[in-house]
Amino acid sequence: MSLNLTNLESSLDEIKDEMYSLMENLFPICRSITGNGVRQTLEILQNLIPLSQYEIPTGTKVFDWIVPKEWNINDAFIMDSSGKKVVDFKDSNLHILNYSIPQDTEISFNELKKHLFSIPEQPDVIPYVTSYYNENWGFCLEHNRLVKMKNEMYRVVVDSKLENGFLTYGEFLIKGEFKDEILISTYVCHPSMCNDNLSGIVVATALAKYLKNFNLKYSIRFLFIPETIGAITWISQNEEKMKNIKHGLVLTCIGDRGKFVYKKTRMGNAEIDNTVIKILKKSNADFDIVDFYPWGSDERQFSSPAFNLPVGSLMRSVPNREITKEYHTSADNLNFMSKKSLLDSFEKYFLIIEELEKKIEEPETISNNFQKKLINDQEDYYINTNPKCEPQLGKYQLYENFGGQYDIEKKYMKNAIFWVLNLSDGFHSLEEIAKRSNLELKLVQTATELLETKKLVMRKNDANM
Ligand code: ZN
């Protein structure tokens, strides 16, 4: 059967219900970047698609990172002096600071407060907070609940384990006629939240389940990986496969009622960019196109200077709480989801793949214009010394050095650092980085100096290129 969405027409209602009930099944599981929540999630997916599961041991070096210890949790609560549990992990797994180390202690409210996270502007929701690389413990709660807590002694129990184990991920390849691949990558590390990230998981699973019944020219690789560290781990373990990836999309935040937002690839004019835009235009519904930026989800690892793969991201509401108030909170629940949107998203991805399949025999007309530019010797060019994925910035204590004039501009400095790392490929001058990122040249220069002191970038002339 050749690939055509009309062949699925009679199954679309069923696909919609399957995606939603899969989401309901996965919702209660406490996931993280490692641990049994990821395994349990992949096992549920294995009932639907022949997913292979991989386990990478703690301590494995993956480029500039190291696979962390594995985290698992049974229970956690805060109990007041009357013996009442005022915050209970069993009510919502968002209540625990993800990756909290074990605790069993009596503590004053003043001490406890240092370990409590809430959002005063959104007093009814539980925020989702993690601490993967700084050992800590904490609880996340509604601000309304926090302000009702009395100034007394509390008992705090975190029944968790942080020990040597594995990072787990899932992978499924539909073999097409050709070696050339389309990559569909989604992440499996968020606990009970729907749009970010169960929507990506259920749409990817449905795509894998239904696409495998068609005769395809492209091979299609599905990744179900923990975000950031999982992407870096997969890339470091599978570098030889990267050359086959011709087009890629990161599937995230795709189940809400918002319009489609397409984040373009780093190169900005790849075949996948043109294809996604063509499919969105055909649908008559409103949509937004945004240029690539070097943060967000795993597209930034696939788009790091050493790989520069054409990987974009088709989403709906943008994962950023300034824009989407449900993002990374307990409000990102089943009520935030729309079955109709999930199906619409499934159809769009399907049509994009269908369109790529139609064009596979045509000669590639679009090239990456970055690498062909003439270099202007008058400007400053830098080379990223860790061009494969992003460096683990946390270990360089970059932010401690901010101080002074940029103290209030930490966010812009962080953005500048990401831009300099992503575009320091020897072909983008600092002037061009400033222009493309819409940041002041002075800020880009300061970020570059900071990265230079940590040997994360070096001047192109010194790099012997
Ligand atoms: Zn997220």
Side-chain angles (χ1 to χ4, degrees), residues 251-270:
L251 233 172
T252 176
C253 298
I254 199 86
D256 62 277
R257 291 166 183 81
K259 62 183 170 184
F260 282 107
V261 177
Y262 178 60
K263 176 182 174 182
K264 287 193 199 174
T265 65
R266 181 181 187 263
M267 46 195 82
N269 60 353

Side-chain angles (χ1 to χ4, degrees), residues 128 187 189-190 193 196-197 227 252-253 319 327-328:
Y128 162 56
Y187 45 95
C189 53
H190 287 40
M193 285 173 294
D196 184 21
N197 71 217
E227 203 174 21
T252 176
C253 298
Y327 171 68
H328 279 191

Side-chain angles (χ1 to χ4, degrees), residues 155-248:
R155 180 164 174 231
V156 168
V157 171
V158 180
D159 179 9
S160 66
K161 281 194 178 117
L162 185 62
E163 50 195 19
N164 286 342
F166 299 88
L167 177 146
T168 310
Y169 67 80
E171 186 172 0
F172 172 46
L173 181 73
I174 302 177
K175 277 208 177 109
E177 202 180 314
F178 302 134
K179 262 187 165 177
D180 288 358
E181 291 181 10
I182 301 169
L183 173 75
I184 304 286
S185 183
T186 194
Y187 45 95
V188 288
C189 53
H190 287 40
S192 298
M193 285 173 294
C194 285
N195 212 32
D196 184 21
N197 71 217
L198 293 178
S199 67
I201 301 177
V202 305
V203 173
T205 303
L207 284 169
K209 180 177 165 185
Y210 288 93
L211 284 169
K212 72 175 167 31
N213 302 326
F214 291 93
N215 297 322
L216 299 170
K217 293 175 195 156
Y218 277 111
S219 297
I220 308 188
R221 186 175 299 278
F222 289 89
L223 297 182
F224 296 85
I225 51 184
E227 203 174 21
T228 308
I229 182 66
I232 294 166
T233 301
W234 185 84
I235 293 171
S236 113
Q237 303 274 312
N238 294 280
E239 236 183 299
E240 83 291 351
K241 294 179 186 162
M242 297 284 277
K243 65 178 185 306
N244 295 329
I245 298 173
K246 302 302 174 204
H247 321 282

Side-chain angles (χ1 to χ4, degrees), residues 290-303:
V290 294
D291 284 330
F292 176 82
Y293 44 86
W295 52 90
S297 191
D298 291 329
E299 62 278 4
R300 66 186 204 254
Q301 311 305 341
F302 295 106
S303 306

